[in-house]
Amino acid sequence: MASKSEQYMLRCLELAQLGAGSVAPNPMVGCVIVHDSRIIGEGYTSPYGGNHAEVNAINSVNDESLLKKATLYVSLEPCAHFGKTPPCANLIIEKKVKRVVIACLDPFAQVNGLGIKQLMGAGVDVKIGVLESEAKELNRRFFTFHQKKRPYIILKWAETSDGFVDKARTAPSEPSLKITCEASNILVHKWRAEEAAIMVGKNTALLDNPSLTTRKYEGKNPIRILLDGKLETPEAASIFSDEAETLVFHVGEKEKGKRKNGVELIAIESVKNLESILTELHSRNIQSVIVEGGPTLHASFYKAGLWDEIRRFVSPIKAENGVKALQLSETPEEECQIGNDHLLIYRNR
């Protein structure tokens, strides 16, 4: 049975999840304030640029005099630096909160223990490590971004029961193989809304003409990333619409340019140099990328070990021939049924 501290921290994690898709590049954080075994305030991080969880929780308390006798629970170390907002550690000290329980340290270099040091230096009783692994799992994108200096990478595809992702096609006039059910399609659009960016290669852009937006789910469109070494994708392609920002990595002179509709060209030595591409995305504060390209692009990330999660739909339909899906040696950590499809999720631990 969970302890009282764990129960309050579970509530913090529940609140934190409400910020999914809107707080990045900030982490998802939840906070509850407890007085005499009763929650008197709670909050979670506002969309990027807005208040952090601790500020929203403190602002929700009706009687501020109770803060001096309260315990503040928070799923990530309170910040100690001036960013878009003032330091949360300063506010906690100002309000004379006597005790703070924290799930885990913040890996961001400008925090990373400094918030805790500041609180303890002001005489606050600090406890660290309640549901630490659960808190890190919730913010795995944030931790990967700061610890590995690259975005969190999700490889996603759908395949038939006999292991094909499409028919063998050579022209966009040939329709693609429809593999997943509508429930799976809606889920994929929800995922798009939760990630910072979405990536495909040139062949996918030419054959499928995808828009890579969240048409089937209400949410923000991710930044679109296209790997097109020779800039062969026509300007009229859906990926260049004004619905979302598009970054195009190509081989050329070391300069950056613009097409219409906010499409930015980024010249690199090779579009096969994934580490170079991820370094550029990291410099742009892009915290996560869902890769929806074909099996060639998926295999490049997979073989390089540059992946954190694989989301693989397996449909009951058969193709008998066509383009083979990437073969995996790992065992899925999670499995579930989505409509007629079987969803398998793998993690690169």
Side-chain angles (χ1 to χ4, degrees):
M1 183 176 175
S3 68
K4 279 289 186 182
S5 288
E6 289 173 336
Q7 289 175 31
Y8 293 133
M9 195 60 73
L10 279 171
R11 178 56 182 162
C12 289
L13 296 176
E14 287 177 352
L15 290 166
Q17 289 177 324
L18 297 176
S22 67
V23 302
N26 284 340
M28 294 177 284
V29 182
C31 178
V32 300
I33 301 171
V34 179
H35 176 261
D36 281 348
S37 301
R38 183 174 64 89
I39 292 177
I40 60 171
E42 60 181 27
Y44 60 94
T45 302
S46 300
Y48 183 60
N51 289 336
H52 289 185
E54 300 94 319
V55 178
N56 287 330
I58 288 171
N59 288 345
S60 74
V61 175
N62 290 325
D63 183 357
E64 280 202 7
S65 68
L66 297 178
L67 290 173
K68 297 177 183 179
K69 305 173 185 177
T71 298
L72 183 147
Y73 292 82
V74 64
S75 58
L76 190 70
E77 176 185 5
C79 64
H81 69 292
F82 283 87
K84 294 279 186 181
T85 60
C88 291
N90 286 7
L91 179 64
I92 293 169
I93 294 167
E94 177 191 325
K95 298 298 182 181
K96 302 188 185 320
V97 176
K98 69 170 186 177
R99 184 168 182 260
V100 175
V101 179
I102 301 165
C104 61
L105 291 176
D106 187 332
F108 182 43
Q110 293 185 52
V111 185
N112 200 12
L114 295 178
I116 290 168
K117 183 178 179 181
Q118 192 169 331
L119 291 172
M120 294 179 71
V124 178
D125 178 14
V126 178
K127 181 178 180 181
I128 310 160
V130 176
L131 300 187
E132 180 178 9
S133 59
E134 291 86 346
K136 287 182 175 179
E137 174 67 13
L138 175 67
N139 275 311
R140 57 191 182 275
R141 295 160 182 80
F142 183 75
F143 277 81
T144 296
F145 183 81
H146 288 287
Q147 293 175 338
K148 297 186 178 181
K149 307 302 179 186
R150 64 162 175 80
Y152 185 88
I153 303 299
I154 301 168
L155 309 183
K156 170 264 162 186
W157 71 85
E159 62 184 79
T160 61
S161 60
D162 51 355
F164 295 94
V165 297
D166 199 359
K167 299 178 292 186
R169 294 184 293 144
T170 57
S173 57
E174 302 175 64
S176 61
L177 181 64
K178 302 301 181 186
I179 296 177
T180 50
C181 67
E182 186 62 9
S184 296
N185 295 337
I186 293 170
L187 178 59
V188 168
H189 283 237
K190 178 179 183 292
W191 289 344
R192 291 178 179 180
E194 293 171 347
E195 307 306 332
I198 184 169
M199 178 186 290
V200 295
K202 174 203 67 181
N203 289 340
T204 296
L206 292 177
L207 283 176
D208 296 346
N209 192 28
S211 63
L212 304 181
T213 57
T214 56
R215 302 177 309 282
K216 296 179 182 291
Y217 187 84
E218 186 176 345
K220 67 172 182 60
N221 291 319
I223 296 170
R224 299 173 296 201
I225 301 167
L226 172 63
L227 308 187
D228 185 357
K230 298 180 181 179
L231 295 177
E232 296 173 82
T233 307
E235 288 196 4
S238 296
I239 198 170
F240 297 139
S241 72
D242 59 5
E243 296 173 279
E245 180 184 351
T246 304
L247 306 178
V248 183
F249 285 88
H250 69 100
V251 178
E253 297 179 6
K254 292 295 182 180
E255 60 182 32
K256 297 174 182 178
K258 294 266 188 183
R259 287 189 185 184
K260 64 182 181 179
N261 297 329
V263 177
E264 183 174 354
L265 306 182
I266 305 173
I268 55 175
E269 291 185 0
S270 170
V271 293
K272 294 183 180 180
N273 188 339
L274 298 179
E275 289 188 358
S276 176
I277 291 169
L278 296 183
T279 297
E280 175 68 24
L281 297 179
H282 182 271
S283 74
R284 291 166 177 264
N285 234 7
I286 294 175
Q287 202 174 95
S288 62
V289 179
I290 184 165
V291 181
E292 285 200 13
T296 300
L297 185 58
H298 287 141
S300 298
F301 277 96
Y302 181 70
K303 291 175 181 176
L306 294 172
W307 64 280
D308 300 287
E309 196 172 324
I310 292 173
R311 299 175 183 178
R312 173 188 172 213
F313 289 100
V314 179
S315 164
I317 71 170
K318 288 188 176 182
E320 297 183 354
N321 57 63
V323 181
K324 289 290 289 184
L326 174 64
Q327 301 297 299
L328 302 176
S329 57
E330 290 81 3
T331 300
E333 287 194 10
E334 299 176 46
E335 299 183 48
C336 64
Q337 198 72 20
I338 308 293
N340 296 326
D341 305 320
H342 194 49
L343 173 61
L344 301 97
I345 297 178
Y346 306 76
R347 297 280 175 78
N348 190 9
R349 300 293 186 181

